[in-house]
Structure formats: C-alpha cells, structure tokens
Amino acid sequence: MKALTVTLRQPAQLSTSLRSDGLIDTVSHVPGWVVRGALAAAWIRTHGAPERAPTRSTFLRLFEGEVRFGPLYAGAPPSPLSVHRHKYASEPACTTAYLDAAASGTFEKPAACADCGQEWVPLRPGHSPEARHVRTSVAIDSTKHTAKPGQLFSRRRLRSTLPIRDDSGRLAGHAVATFTGEVTGDEALVDSLATLQRVRIGGRKTSHGAVTIAFSDTGATQLWVRDDGVLVFALSSPAIFVDAEGRPTNAPTDGELSRVLGCDATVVKAWTRWDTVGGWHGASGLPKPTETVVTAGSTYAVRLADPPRANLAALVAQGVGLRRHEGFGHIGHYLMPTRSAAEVEAAAESLAASVTEDDLLPFVAFRYAQGVIPADLADAIRAAAADDSLVAEAAALARRYGGAFTGARDAKKAEQLLALPPAKVNAIVTRLEQ
Ligand SMILES: [Zn+2]
C-alpha cells in the first residue's frame, strides 16, 4: 500500500450529481474514481492508447483490477458512524466528549451522558467553509467574443490555496490545498505511476484541476478486534452492496466476509447511511449512471469464529462490495475521535473560572514572579498532578522559590495543593498564571 498526496495547482471542480437549481457543485474530497480516471488519462497521454501487448496488460493491471484507488481527503476521512457526540458542547466534568456504540457489549449507545445528562447524537462530518467557493461566470459566444445573453451559471469549486488565519481571525498567509489517501496494489506497479506528468482532476480541463502527485510509503491499515472477537471496521469511501437477488443492501454478506477473512464471519451490527453517486463522464459529456451506495463512515461489527486466523490484511487489500477497483468499498484506519485541542482548552478555561477566591487563597504565595506563578513551578505542579511520583520534586522547587523565609511552608503548600483532584490542581495553577 502507498500513500498518494495530490496538491492542487488550480481550483478543482468535482461533481457527483446534478442539482435542480443549476449550481454546479463540487465534493470537498477527491473520490477514488476521480483519482483513477485522472491517472489513467495521464498514463494514456504518456504511453499511448493501450491497444496491444505489453502496454495493454500493464494498463489493465493498473486500472482494471489489481490496483485500487482510495479517496483522498484534506484532513481525516469521515468518522465512523457508530461514533456519537454530545448534542451541545460537553461539560468540563464529562469523562468523554465522544461515545462509540461499537465499543458497547450490546452495540447500543446509552440515551444520555452519565456525567451531564445530554443526549448523544451522531457525529456529522464538518466542512471547512473556506475550502470551497462559488464562482459565477458567463458563456462566451465563439463568433462575437462577447457574453452570450442568458447564459450565466455558477459553479462551486475547491480552492487551490487556503487562507491561514491567526488567533484573532486576521489573514496571515496562504497554504496550498493538499489531499491524501491510499493506493493499494503491487508496490512496483503503483510506483510506476509516480512519473506521470500533467495530471488533471475533475471537470473544466483547461482552467481547472491541474495537480502535482507524490507517492510515499505508509503503514498497514489498523482495524479493531474487540476482546470478545468482534471485528469493527469503517469505510473510507462509499460502497455498493447487493443481496443474492441483486437488490441494494447496506452491508457486505456474511459469505463475502467469510471467504476473504478465511474464517466464519457474521455481521452483527451495521451503522450506515444511504447516498447516491453519479456525476459526469468528462470524455463523452454525458451523465454517469447513478448508483445507490452506503456512505464513507459506514461501520460494521463482525463476529469472527476464529479471530487469530482471520486474514485482516486480505480484507483491507481487497475491500468490500462491488466495483472495488473503481474506487468503492475501501476500508480505512479505525480511529476514535479524541477531544479537539480547542475543546480541551475551552474546558480548562471554564474549570479555571469555576475556582473561587477561597480555593485560591492558600496558594497565592506561589505568585513569586511579578504576580504570577513561575512557569517552571507551574509545569512541575501540573506534571505532579498527573504522576504522584513527581510530588516531592514539585515541593522541592516550591521550597527553593520560598527560600530561607517561607521555603518550608511553601513546600507544604505544594503538597497540600497536590492532594486535591488533578483537574482542580490544573485549574488552580491556571488561575495562578493569570
Ligand atoms: Zn457529558
């Protein structure tokens, strides 16, 4: 498996379906079938049409079976649909901001957070509002070289550069837009794609979609096997599943999974969302057939009869469902979202605000440096709050700051502070820094 990074050199427009209001929309990631189409077109420009051996067999291996092109994302792929968040912001006292129903014995989520009583609701993928913008233009009459009357249209497109903002929201510069994902298949074969030049993605080939591509090594995809032998995996791309009669269904069959994994496998729970995928076929200018899919983020809990024997690597390499070599049915790393840095900071601030003057009073002596606690003492106390073995060290530092007059008392005060719950210790230290 290789990681593929695509950097936009021009804005890009990647449509998946038509809208009735005439706006030509774009998705905010690069679907696997767009990657495959773009690389196949660049390959044909470089090597010529794959009409006879040996170029034909190389082309077929690359684009019609062996190699699988995953979707590319600007950040993380969509979170597993089994993961839920607080309906509103979580409280500082909450043990966790997120809850994964796939971690529960019954695969059900509790109705509410045990700490604050808020409802758990599904996590929805966020869009960066600045990654896309709408551009309105007119069609130009090819003989008169003026705007054609009544031919005004708008398209939404991905920006090739993204604004960087400082803490106060002011523009501090620009970064190029990059998208990363995985390409699965024989490594030498995949590496041969790295030399392709003039790769373009999406519609509007002359003024849009020029990209540079780079391949790099990447580690094996991490799945999650619970202690009770249940495998949990989530899709990083849409997938197409059908039942024995060919009707759309929302999960792979037990037969498909058992065959690939090499042991009996049973889907015991699925968290899925339906969608359709269509789009334009650029070469012919016609709409593509619309497919019923389950979305990226769809998550499956699968009971394995013999977990140590299950071939997880084969499952990742092959993917699930139909039309896999076209970019459907990719399995991603199973990641539990953690609290974002901003959330942790906001929680710490509101906890610091909850510290009363009475809580603070015994420790104001630690403000040795111009009315605030010295940074090394603050660090030592925070470290000791997390690790009991560091309490003596923090107390010794307080003793040095207190010196001959109050050193012994201040060392005692440090121990007294560190006897409080860690969250409270951190909140008091934060107040002493203000
Ligand atoms: Zn809560």
Side-chain angles (χ1 to χ4, degrees):
M1 190 182 318
K2 288 275 182 179
L4 169 61
T5 300
V6 157
T7 304
L8 298 190
R9 287 165 44 217
Q10 290 176 332
Q13 197 261 314
L14 310 168
S15 58
T16 59
S17 53
L18 297 178
R19 287 170 45 145
S20 55
D21 60 4
L23 175 74
I24 303 168
D25 207 354
T26 185
V27 290
S28 49
H29 68 286
V30 187
W33 48 90
V34 171
V35 180
R36 170 176 174 256
L39 293 176
W43 195 94
I44 290 171
R45 272 200 305 278
T46 306
H47 300 279
E51 279 160 357
R52 56 174 74 87
T55 50
R56 184 170 173 77
S57 67
T58 309
F59 184 85
L60 292 179
R61 285 183 68 201
L62 276 166
F63 300 110
E64 293 292 346
E66 249 186 87
V67 176
R68 298 177 54 243
F69 300 91
L72 314 180
Y73 290 97
S79 305
L81 290 175
S82 56
V83 175
H84 294 71
R85 64 168 176 83
H86 280 76
K87 183 158 186 187
Y88 307 103
S90 58
E91 311 266 331
C94 295
T95 320
T96 174
Y98 298 99
L99 180 127
D100 191 350
S104 106
T106 57
F107 305 110
E108 299 300 330
K109 68 175 170 67
C113 172
D115 301 312
C116 69
Q118 277 184 54
E119 196 186 328
W120 291 109
V121 296
L123 193 66
R124 300 248 171 205
H127 283 294
S128 162
E130 292 188 320
R132 306 189 292 179
H133 68 163
V134 174
R135 166 95 171 217
T136 300
S137 43
V138 291
I140 301 293
D141 188 304
S142 59
T143 52
K144 290 191 284 184
H145 302 290
T146 56
K148 280 187 189 170
Q151 299 248 357
L152 189 70
F153 58 92
S154 296
R155 63 177 73 239
R156 186 174 278 145
R157 51 186 206 171
L158 295 176
R159 291 175 188 274
S160 55
T161 58
L162 303 175
I164 304 172
R165 299 194 182 278
D166 64 16
D167 291 344
S168 58
R170 274 193 301 269
L171 191 65
H174 284 87
V176 291
T178 62
F179 298 84
T180 302
E182 282 163 350
V183 179
T184 313
D186 180 81
E187 294 219 345
L189 198 59
V190 174
D191 277 336
S192 73
L193 295 170
T195 57
L196 293 177
Q197 301 288 320
R198 292 184 296 135
V199 180
R200 288 182 168 273
I201 58 168
R204 293 264 286 177
K205 294 290 185 190
T206 54
S207 58
H208 284 63
V211 299
T212 51
I213 60 168
F215 288 94
S216 57
D217 291 323
T218 181
T221 299
Q222 298 299 314
L223 304 185
W224 176 30
V225 180
R226 308 192 334 173
D227 293 343
D228 60 358
V230 171
L231 163 70
V232 180
F233 69 86
L235 300 175
S236 61
S237 73
I240 305 164
F241 300 117
V242 292
D243 65 13
E245 277 77 43
R247 291 172 300 206
T249 170
N250 71 341
T253 62
D254 295 346
E256 175 186 353
L257 291 172
S258 303
R259 218 168 24 250
V260 181
L261 288 163
C263 81
D264 274 350
T266 316
V267 177
V268 286
K269 180 79 184 180
W271 295 264
T272 62
R273 203 175 285 149
W274 291 108
D275 197 8
T276 54
V277 169
W280 280 101
H281 185 242
S284 60
L286 292 169
K288 289 180 185 170
T290 299
E291 200 76 67
T292 300
V293 301
V294 292
T295 61
S298 291
T299 303
Y300 302 93
V302 179
R303 193 173 298 287
L304 302 174
D306 186 0
R309 253 194 54 216
N311 191 344
L312 303 181
L315 182 68
V316 171
Q318 181 164 333
V320 285
L322 305 179
R323 294 175 58 183
R324 296 188 306 273
H325 69 282
E326 291 178 49
F328 293 94
H330 280 263
I331 295 171
H333 292 277
Y334 198 85
L335 295 177
M336 266 292 288
T338 50
R339 275 180 166 204
S340 73
E343 266 187 293
V344 171
E345 204 172 295
E349 261 171 34
S350 82
L351 198 61
S354 73
V355 173
T356 65
E357 290 305 313
D358 284 348
D359 292 332
L360 205 58
L361 199 58
F363 310 110
V364 289
F366 291 148
R367 286 173 167 158
Y368 299 108
Q370 287 148 6
V372 297
I373 185 171
D376 59 344
L377 183 58
D379 289 346
I381 292 174
R382 285 208 177 90
D387 180 351
D388 282 344
S389 71
L390 299 173
V391 172
E393 212 172 293
L397 190 57
R399 184 187 298 275
R400 281 208 295 285
Y401 271 109
F405 293 107
T406 60
R409 183 203 70 185
D410 293 356
K412 275 253 167 338
K413 279 188 183 295
E415 286 167 9
Q416 188 190 336
L417 173 58
L418 284 163
L420 299 173
K424 188 101 184 172
V425 175
N426 288 326
I428 288 173
V429 172
T430 302
R431 282 292 295 275
L432 293 172
E433 288 172 326
Q434 294 162 353

